[in-house]
Amino acid sequence: MKKLITTIFTLCFIYSISIAQTLPTNTTTSFMVNGLKVIFKPTVKEVISVRMYFRGGVYNYPGTMAGIESLALKAATECGTKKYNADKFRDLADEFGVSIGGSSTYDYGNIGIDCVAKYFNQSWDLFAEAINNPVFDNAEVQLLKSKQITVINGQQSDPDQHLDDLQVQTAFAGTPYATDPDGTEQSLTALSSTDLKEYYYNLLNKNRMFIVVAGNITRQQIEEKIKASFTSLPAKPYTPPVRQAPVWKENKVYVESRALATNYISAAFNAPPVNSPEFLAYRMGISAFGGTLFNELRTKLNLSYDPGAYAVSQLMSYGIIHVSTNSPKEAIEATDRTLSRLKELGISDEGLKYLKGSFITSNYIKEQGSGAITANLGSAEINGGWEYADKLPAMINAITVDQINAAMLKYIGGLRWTYIGDPELAKKAEDAFSTQVH
């Protein structure tokens, strides 16, 4: 009998170990597989998301080649591989319901897939082909380039999108951030399929890359896939570029004349480094300011349809105010008053309680999809460490009123205004644009 009990106990123990090794633990981990960093979050979600990141973004190329990384990463997923021509690649992606694409922004580029667990093997095959063996077929590249130029021209005619682009170009003039990662019609037109191929294969470097995976899959499965697909990727010396964010001390305004139904206005202002302890407090303070600005300009004064403010979480971080209005002078004066009042009075304990609830809810909403999880972990890793995304709820709960108010006082100033619309109305608002907030 004793032997039977021992046997049952042993079997239960072995079964428990087996379950522990195979079931997702919902804990994010990172590890190396043949020189490639892997960030992995197991979940019970049947959609698996995989993203391969490339560090550097606009720091990887000169401004004259604006858009080359974004176009190269798109072409890797759309213009055929050694194993599949472009049509076959698209057919397989459709057959297995794989969403695959590439893009690049100011600090990084990535190629990613979202797929159902049932077709993970087939989806991984397309993903590995796009990473390892893109051929940049000239006819397909020319077609893709035409599509991308159409998108860019559409963004130029969209006042909101054009204002965002212009804001970064003017505020960060003289730095690589002044380069539009999507490129311009002129820069994209000059790029050939040979340029894209050469650029892409130079980008492949394990020391510049890392991979993020989320979904109902085990670590063992991921390691086996990576060993089989990416062991032969080159590993070359890579030194991350040093970014020196500009410090804006005085106000400036850039005006672009355009006949529009209303005037579009934004301002960039200083922020703490995105990987510093101050940044989260600053981000929460700017969010509070955005709510107050909406209440003042939209609800009380009826000067703007959708005013707001937010913090941009990039390696050169900054804050943004945005207002669209038919009365620029009155709207900017009210914005200056609201900002000065918030800096003087700060936020209250009750306001902080609301902010924490809002931020934590927003964070959980972002965790609902596997694609959002890999995006959050990837951008956090770029900004200093994936652990930031994992620890965010606890960090939000630890923020105090004093930390938020100190960050607002220290960093907000030197407003870099950008204005698209009636230049005569902009001239009447000159005093408001130059007013220093205190």
PDB file of all heavy atoms in Angstrom, residues 242-260:
ATOM      1  N   VAL A 242      23.973  58.382 -29.549  1.00  0.00           N
ATOM      2  CA  VAL A 242      23.686  59.239 -28.393  1.00  0.00           C
ATOM      3  C   VAL A 242      22.721  60.325 -28.830  1.00  0.00           C
ATOM      4  O   VAL A 242      22.967  61.044 -29.799  1.00  0.00           O
ATOM      5  CB  VAL A 242      24.982  59.882 -27.849  1.00  0.00           C
ATOM      6  CG1 VAL A 242      24.664  60.843 -26.707  1.00  0.00           C
ATOM      7  CG2 VAL A 242      25.949  58.797 -27.396  1.00  0.00           C
ATOM      8  N   ARG A 243      21.625  60.439 -28.133  1.00  0.00           N
ATOM      9  CA  ARG A 243      20.619  61.451 -28.463  1.00  0.00           C
ATOM     10  C   ARG A 243      20.708  62.583 -27.448  1.00  0.00           C
ATOM     11  O   ARG A 243      20.609  62.337 -26.245  1.00  0.00           O
ATOM     12  CB  ARG A 243      19.217  60.840 -28.464  1.00  0.00           C
ATOM     13  CG  ARG A 243      18.994  59.848 -29.599  1.00  0.00           C
ATOM     14  CD  ARG A 243      17.767  59.019 -29.337  1.00  0.00           C
ATOM     15  NE  ARG A 243      17.363  58.238 -30.502  1.00  0.00           N
ATOM     16  CZ  ARG A 243      17.908  57.084 -30.856  1.00  0.00           C
ATOM     17  NH1 ARG A 243      18.901  56.602 -30.153  1.00  0.00           N
ATOM     18  NH2 ARG A 243      17.478  56.423 -31.909  1.00  0.00           N
ATOM     19  N   GLN A 244      20.858  63.781 -27.937  1.00  0.00           N
ATOM     20  CA  GLN A 244      20.918  64.950 -27.079  1.00  0.00           C
ATOM     21  C   GLN A 244      19.692  65.804 -27.356  1.00  0.00           C
ATOM     22  O   GLN A 244      19.645  66.539 -28.340  1.00  0.00           O
ATOM     23  CB  GLN A 244      22.205  65.737 -27.347  1.00  0.00           C
ATOM     24  CG  GLN A 244      22.451  66.881 -26.370  1.00  0.00           C
ATOM     25  CD  GLN A 244      22.646  66.407 -24.940  1.00  0.00           C
ATOM     26  OE1 GLN A 244      23.420  65.504 -24.675  1.00  0.00           O
ATOM     27  NE2 GLN A 244      21.910  67.014 -24.019  1.00  0.00           N
ATOM     28  N   ALA A 245      18.696  65.692 -26.497  1.00  0.00           N
ATOM     29  CA  ALA A 245      17.446  66.430 -26.729  1.00  0.00           C
ATOM     30  C   ALA A 245      17.680  67.924 -26.584  1.00  0.00           C
ATOM     31  O   ALA A 245      18.380  68.361 -25.662  1.00  0.00           O
ATOM     32  CB  ALA A 245      16.377  65.978 -25.740  1.00  0.00           C
ATOM     33  N   PRO A 246      17.139  68.741 -27.478  1.00  0.00           N
ATOM     34  CA  PRO A 246      17.282  70.191 -27.334  1.00  0.00           C
ATOM     35  C   PRO A 246      16.538  70.691 -26.104  1.00  0.00           C
ATOM     36  O   PRO A 246      15.528  70.098 -25.702  1.00  0.00           O
ATOM     37  CB  PRO A 246      16.636  70.729 -28.624  1.00  0.00           C
ATOM     38  CG  PRO A 246      15.716  69.661 -29.087  1.00  0.00           C
ATOM     39  CD  PRO A 246      16.323  68.358 -28.646  1.00  0.00           C
ATOM     40  N   VAL A 247      17.056  71.751 -25.491  1.00  0.00           N
ATOM     41  CA  VAL A 247      16.361  72.392 -24.368  1.00  0.00           C
ATOM     42  C   VAL A 247      15.812  73.712 -24.868  1.00  0.00           C
ATOM     43  O   VAL A 247      16.567  74.595 -25.268  1.00  0.00           O
ATOM     44  CB  VAL A 247      17.329  72.623 -23.183  1.00  0.00           C
ATOM     45  CG1 VAL A 247      16.601  73.347 -22.052  1.00  0.00           C
ATOM     46  CG2 VAL A 247      17.889  71.296 -22.683  1.00  0.00           C
ATOM     47  N   TRP A 248      14.497  73.854 -24.870  1.00  0.00           N
ATOM     48  CA  TRP A 248      13.851  75.054 -25.389  1.00  0.00           C
ATOM     49  C   TRP A 248      13.618  76.032 -24.238  1.00  0.00           C
ATOM     50  O   TRP A 248      12.908  75.721 -23.272  1.00  0.00           O
ATOM     51  CB  TRP A 248      12.535  74.685 -26.050  1.00  0.00           C
ATOM     52  CG  TRP A 248      12.704  73.692 -27.174  1.00  0.00           C
ATOM     53  CD1 TRP A 248      13.577  73.799 -28.220  1.00  0.00           C
ATOM     54  CD2 TRP A 248      12.015  72.459 -27.360  1.00  0.00           C
ATOM     55  NE1 TRP A 248      13.457  72.714 -29.050  1.00  0.00           N
ATOM     56  CE2 TRP A 248      12.503  71.869 -28.557  1.00  0.00           C
ATOM     57  CE3 TRP A 248      11.018  71.780 -26.659  1.00  0.00           C
ATOM     58  CZ2 TRP A 248      12.044  70.649 -29.039  1.00  0.00           C
ATOM     59  CZ3 TRP A 248      10.555  70.575 -27.126  1.00  0.00           C
ATOM     60  CH2 TRP A 248      11.060  70.011 -28.308  1.00  0.00           C
ATOM     61  N   LYS A 249      14.221  77.211 -24.356  1.00  0.00           N
ATOM     62  CA  LYS A 249      14.095  78.201 -23.277  1.00  0.00           C
ATOM     63  C   LYS A 249      13.129  79.317 -23.628  1.00  0.00           C
ATOM     64  O   LYS A 249      12.430  79.840 -22.774  1.00  0.00           O
ATOM     65  CB  LYS A 249      15.475  78.785 -22.945  1.00  0.00           C
ATOM     66  CG  LYS A 249      16.424  77.742 -22.351  1.00  0.00           C
ATOM     67  CD  LYS A 249      17.775  78.349 -22.008  1.00  0.00           C
ATOM     68  CE  LYS A 249      18.683  77.280 -21.385  1.00  0.00           C
ATOM     69  NZ  LYS A 249      20.036  77.806 -21.111  1.00  0.00           N
ATOM     70  N   GLU A 250      13.116  79.733 -24.892  1.00  0.00           N
ATOM     71  CA  GLU A 250      12.234  80.825 -25.278  1.00  0.00           C
ATOM     72  C   GLU A 250      11.149  80.311 -26.229  1.00  0.00           C
ATOM     73  O   GLU A 250      11.314  79.285 -26.878  1.00  0.00           O
ATOM     74  CB  GLU A 250      13.031  81.954 -25.951  1.00  0.00           C
ATOM     75  CG  GLU A 250      13.534  81.642 -27.352  1.00  0.00           C
ATOM     76  CD  GLU A 250      14.748  80.726 -27.401  1.00  0.00           C
ATOM     77  OE1 GLU A 250      15.230  80.307 -26.336  1.00  0.00           O
ATOM     78  OE2 GLU A 250      15.202  80.406 -28.515  1.00  0.00           O
ATOM     79  N   ASN A 251      10.040  81.065 -26.307  1.00  0.00           N
ATOM     80  CA  ASN A 251       8.963  80.685 -27.220  1.00  0.00           C
ATOM     81  C   ASN A 251       9.331  81.046 -28.653  1.00  0.00           C
ATOM     82  O   ASN A 251      10.020  82.048 -28.905  1.00  0.00           O
ATOM     83  CB  ASN A 251       7.666  81.414 -26.862  1.00  0.00           C
ATOM     84  CG  ASN A 251       7.060  80.893 -25.572  1.00  0.00           C
ATOM     85  OD1 ASN A 251       7.698  80.136 -24.847  1.00  0.00           O
ATOM     86  ND2 ASN A 251       5.837  81.298 -25.300  1.00  0.00           N
ATOM     87  N   LYS A 252       8.861  80.246 -29.605  1.00  0.00           N
ATOM     88  CA  LYS A 252       8.983  80.563 -31.024  1.00  0.00           C
ATOM     89  C   LYS A 252       7.710  80.108 -31.717  1.00  0.00           C
ATOM     90  O   LYS A 252       7.021  79.209 -31.230  1.00  0.00           O
ATOM     91  CB  LYS A 252      10.181  79.852 -31.654  1.00  0.00           C
ATOM     92  CG  LYS A 252      11.530  80.473 -31.316  1.00  0.00           C
ATOM     93  CD  LYS A 252      12.645  79.807 -32.131  1.00  0.00           C
ATOM     94  CE  LYS A 252      13.987  80.462 -31.842  1.00  0.00           C
ATOM     95  NZ  LYS A 252      15.086  79.820 -32.623  1.00  0.00           N
ATOM     96  N   VAL A 253       7.399  80.730 -32.857  1.00  0.00           N
ATOM     97  CA  VAL A 253       6.229  80.307 -33.613  1.00  0.00           C
ATOM     98  C   VAL A 253       6.596  80.154 -35.089  1.00  0.00           C
ATOM     99  O   VAL A 253       7.300  80.999 -35.656  1.00  0.00           O
ATOM    100  CB  VAL A 253       5.045  81.284 -33.422  1.00  0.00           C
ATOM    101  CG1 VAL A 253       5.411  82.700 -33.846  1.00  0.00           C
ATOM    102  CG2 VAL A 253       3.819  80.787 -34.187  1.00  0.00           C
ATOM    103  N   TYR A 254       6.146  79.082 -35.693  1.00  0.00           N
ATOM    104  CA  TYR A 254       6.321  78.839 -37.129  1.00  0.00           C
ATOM    105  C   TYR A 254       4.937  78.863 -37.754  1.00  0.00           C
ATOM    106  O   TYR A 254       4.032  78.137 -37.323  1.00  0.00           O
ATOM    107  CB  TYR A 254       6.985  77.486 -37.368  1.00  0.00           C
ATOM    108  CG  TYR A 254       7.120  77.135 -38.839  1.00  0.00           C
ATOM    109  CD1 TYR A 254       8.231  77.542 -39.563  1.00  0.00           C
ATOM    110  CD2 TYR A 254       6.115  76.418 -39.495  1.00  0.00           C
ATOM    111  CE1 TYR A 254       8.351  77.229 -40.910  1.00  0.00           C
ATOM    112  CE2 TYR A 254       6.223  76.107 -40.841  1.00  0.00           C
ATOM    113  CZ  TYR A 254       7.347  76.524 -41.542  1.00  0.00           C
ATOM    114  OH  TYR A 254       7.454  76.217 -42.878  1.00  0.00           O
ATOM    115  N   VAL A 255       4.759  79.707 -38.782  1.00  0.00           N
ATOM    116  CA  VAL A 255       3.445  79.881 -39.406  1.00  0.00           C
ATOM    117  C   VAL A 255       3.496  79.394 -40.848  1.00  0.00           C
ATOM    118  O   VAL A 255       4.385  79.780 -41.621  1.00  0.00           O
ATOM    119  CB  VAL A 255       3.015  81.368 -39.379  1.00  0.00           C
ATOM    120  CG1 VAL A 255       1.676  81.548 -40.104  1.00  0.00           C
ATOM    121  CG2 VAL A 255       2.919  81.862 -37.941  1.00  0.00           C
ATOM    122  N   GLU A 256       2.552  78.526 -41.211  1.00  0.00           N
ATOM    123  CA  GLU A 256       2.397  78.099 -42.604  1.00  0.00           C
ATOM    124  C   GLU A 256       1.027  78.558 -43.077  1.00  0.00           C
ATOM    125  O   GLU A 256       0.004  78.168 -42.508  1.00  0.00           O
ATOM    126  CB  GLU A 256       2.517  76.581 -42.737  1.00  0.00           C
ATOM    127  CG  GLU A 256       2.375  76.108 -44.189  1.00  0.00           C
ATOM    128  CD  GLU A 256       2.625  74.609 -44.333  1.00  0.00           C
ATOM    129  OE1 GLU A 256       3.776  74.179 -44.129  1.00  0.00           O
ATOM    130  OE2 GLU A 256       1.661  73.880 -44.641  1.00  0.00           O
ATOM    131  N   SER A 257       1.033  79.380 -44.118  1.00  0.00           N
ATOM    132  CA  SER A 257      -0.230  79.911 -44.642  1.00  0.00           C
ATOM    133  C   SER A 257      -0.956  78.830 -45.449  1.00  0.00           C
ATOM    134  O   SER A 257      -0.380  78.216 -46.344  1.00  0.00           O
ATOM    135  CB  SER A 257       0.059  81.119 -45.542  1.00  0.00           C
ATOM    136  OG  SER A 257      -1.138  81.562 -46.147  1.00  0.00           O
ATOM    137  N   ARG A 258      -2.203  78.609 -45.096  1.00  0.00           N
ATOM    138  CA  ARG A 258      -3.001  77.639 -45.840  1.00  0.00           C
ATOM    139  C   ARG A 258      -4.477  77.997 -45.682  1.00  0.00           C
ATOM    140  O   ARG A 258      -4.926  78.323 -44.564  1.00  0.00           O
ATOM    141  CB  ARG A 258      -2.747  76.216 -45.334  1.00  0.00           C
ATOM    142  CG  ARG A 258      -3.404  75.168 -46.217  1.00  0.00           C
ATOM    143  CD  ARG A 258      -3.166  73.766 -45.708  1.00  0.00           C
ATOM    144  NE  ARG A 258      -1.826  73.262 -45.965  1.00  0.00           N
ATOM    145  CZ  ARG A 258      -1.534  71.951 -45.963  1.00  0.00           C
ATOM    146  NH1 ARG A 258      -2.471  71.065 -45.704  1.00  0.00           N
ATOM    147  NH2 ARG A 258      -0.312  71.551 -46.200  1.00  0.00           N
ATOM    148  N   ALA A 259      -5.218  77.958 -46.790  1.00  0.00           N
ATOM    149  CA  ALA A 259      -6.648  78.276 -46.741  1.00  0.00           C
ATOM    150  C   ALA A 259      -7.411  77.063 -46.211  1.00  0.00           C
ATOM    151  O   ALA A 259      -7.559  76.059 -46.900  1.00  0.00           O
ATOM    152  CB  ALA A 259      -7.143  78.644 -48.136  1.00  0.00           C
ATOM    153  N   LEU A 260      -7.863  77.177 -44.956  1.00  0.00           N
ATOM    154  CA  LEU A 260      -8.567  76.063 -44.300  1.00  0.00           C
ATOM    155  C   LEU A 260      -9.825  76.573 -43.614  1.00  0.00           C
ATOM    156  O   LEU A 260      -9.966  77.787 -43.363  1.00  0.00           O
ATOM    157  CB  LEU A 260      -7.651  75.403 -43.265  1.00  0.00           C
ATOM    158  CG  LEU A 260      -6.365  74.752 -43.788  1.00  0.00           C
ATOM    159  CD1 LEU A 260      -5.421  74.420 -42.628  1.00  0.00           C
ATOM    160  CD2 LEU A 260      -6.701  73.481 -44.576  1.00  0.00           C
TER     161      LEU A 260
END
